[in-house]
Amino acid sequence: GGGGDSGGGDSDSGSGDAPVALVLTHALGFSKECWAPVLEDLAPLLTRRVEWVALDFSGHGASTSSPPTGRWDEYHVAEAREVLQSELRAVAPASRTVGVGHSMGGAVLAALELRQPGSLARVAAIEPPIFPAAVGRLARLLTSAGLNPLANAAAQRRRAWPSAAAAREHFGSRMAAGWDSRSLDAFLGGALRDAPGGGVELCCDPATEARCLGLPLVANEVAAGYGGGAAVTLVTCSASRFSPLLLPGSGPAAYSLVAQTLRAGVVRLPGASHHLVVQEQPALVARLVADEVAAIV
């Protein structure tokens, strides 16, 4: 099964209202631990009681489930639905449940509500890999021809290091160079495991990452004719160039088109400059989460 962390936070206001349930989902290649700095910064912002759960998708972190080999969105949506039912439904009804997900995790939560209305009251999907039809289908076509640049790069990603210290040096001087210092600790704590032959390795096999990157979601396949009442928001970062192909026009600017198809809103996160905002600026993300929780009435 998938690994999960859960917990609660109480405000200092003593408002005594019913709790809000919060589910947090991670990006491709990350784990539930990535939310630790956000939760730390969230605690002083809360004005009501919140019970939260952060899950590891299959093929990531502490999950013992095999990673998906087909449509990752369908596989992970089922996992998120199970966590909601088993861990949060006893805490709060769907009308008081908020989902915040980063990248792949945001796409999963949006798809969950859009395909099964009434699962969540609010969804904030931070730069989810959901794209206009032309862009998404071109990415898939290139994948089938072995020419998808992001998928090919992921397939070549290094997976193992002789020690945890070596892995820290590797990521600290590369991907995590601009991260909040707590985020590197959280990443290493959840995304690495002891390797069978000694040393450490990534929990998420680069082949799994490559498969997922090769199958970006197309907006009209995520949901068609949504009739629910949840507030679904696509959250973009000011200067991010996140796209399935690194093509002009396929990054955050395209989310306005995606939002029309999904019947969702679009919000630019003030001061956020990069797709990995959860790792770089957890305080900004904590404010986003706090605002989503506060919007539950």
Side-chain angles (χ1 to χ4, degrees), residues 75-94:
Y75 203 94
H76 294 328
V77 163
E79 293 176 315
R81 181 175 61 248
E82 171 58 28
V83 166
L84 282 175
Q85 292 297 330
S86 65
E87 300 198 36
L88 288 180
R89 218 27 102 229
V91 173

Side-chain angles (χ1 to χ4, degrees), residues 82-245:
E82 171 58 28
V83 166
L84 282 175
Q85 292 297 330
S86 65
E87 300 198 36
L88 288 180
R89 218 27 102 229
V91 173
S95 61
R96 298 183 63 80
T97 302
V98 173
V100 179
H102 183 205
S103 195
M104 177 182 76
V108 168
L109 293 180
L112 171 61
E113 171 57 29
L114 294 169
R115 292 170 180 170
Q116 300 174 35
S119 298
L120 298 156
R122 301 186 65 85
V123 176
I126 304 171
E127 297 210 330
I130 306 173
F131 300 100
V135 173
R137 288 171 182 155
L138 176 58
R140 292 180 187 178
L141 182 63
L142 290 178
T143 298
S144 65
L147 298 174
N148 185 308
L150 290 182
N152 291 348
Q156 300 301 317
R157 196 181 311 284
R158 181 177 179 179
R159 188 179 189 184
W161 292 265
S163 67
R168 175 179 291 274
E169 168 59 27
H170 175 88
F171 288 106
S173 61
R174 292 174 176 80
M175 180 175 73
W179 291 5
D180 183 290
S181 61
R182 298 170 297 168
S183 297
L184 178 57
D185 291 337
F187 173 76
L188 296 173
L192 292 177
R193 65 188 180 196
D194 291 338
V200 296
E201 66 179 12
L202 290 171
C203 297
C204 180
D205 188 332
T208 298
E209 188 175 354
R211 279 196 300 272
C212 292
L213 286 170
L215 290 171
L217 299 187
V218 174
N220 60 9
E221 294 175 357
V222 173
Y226 174 63
V232 179
T233 304
L234 309 180
V235 181
T236 72
C237 301
S238 304
S240 175
R241 292 178 176 82
F242 176 60
S243 78
L245 294 173

Side-chain angles (χ1 to χ4, degrees), residues 30-121:
F30 287 80
S31 70
K32 62 183 180 297
E33 282 78 10
C34 74
W35 292 103
V38 174
L39 288 164
E40 182 179 343
D41 291 340
L42 174 66
L45 303 178
L46 293 177
T47 58
R48 64 206 330 182
R49 181 181 162 208
V50 174
E51 297 291 338
W52 60 268
V53 62
L55 68 145
D56 280 332
F57 290 123
S58 55
H60 294 74
S63 174
T64 57
S65 299
S66 299
T69 56
R71 285 283 297 272
W72 56 265
D73 56 313
E74 295 175 353
Y75 203 94
H76 294 328
V77 163
E79 293 176 315
R81 181 175 61 248
E82 171 58 28
V83 166
L84 282 175
Q85 292 297 330
S86 65
E87 300 198 36
L88 288 180
R89 218 27 102 229
V91 173
S95 61
R96 298 183 63 80
T97 302
V98 173
V100 179
H102 183 205
S103 195
M104 177 182 76
V108 168
L109 293 180
L112 171 61
E113 171 57 29
L114 294 169
R115 292 170 180 170
Q116 300 174 35
S119 298
L120 298 156

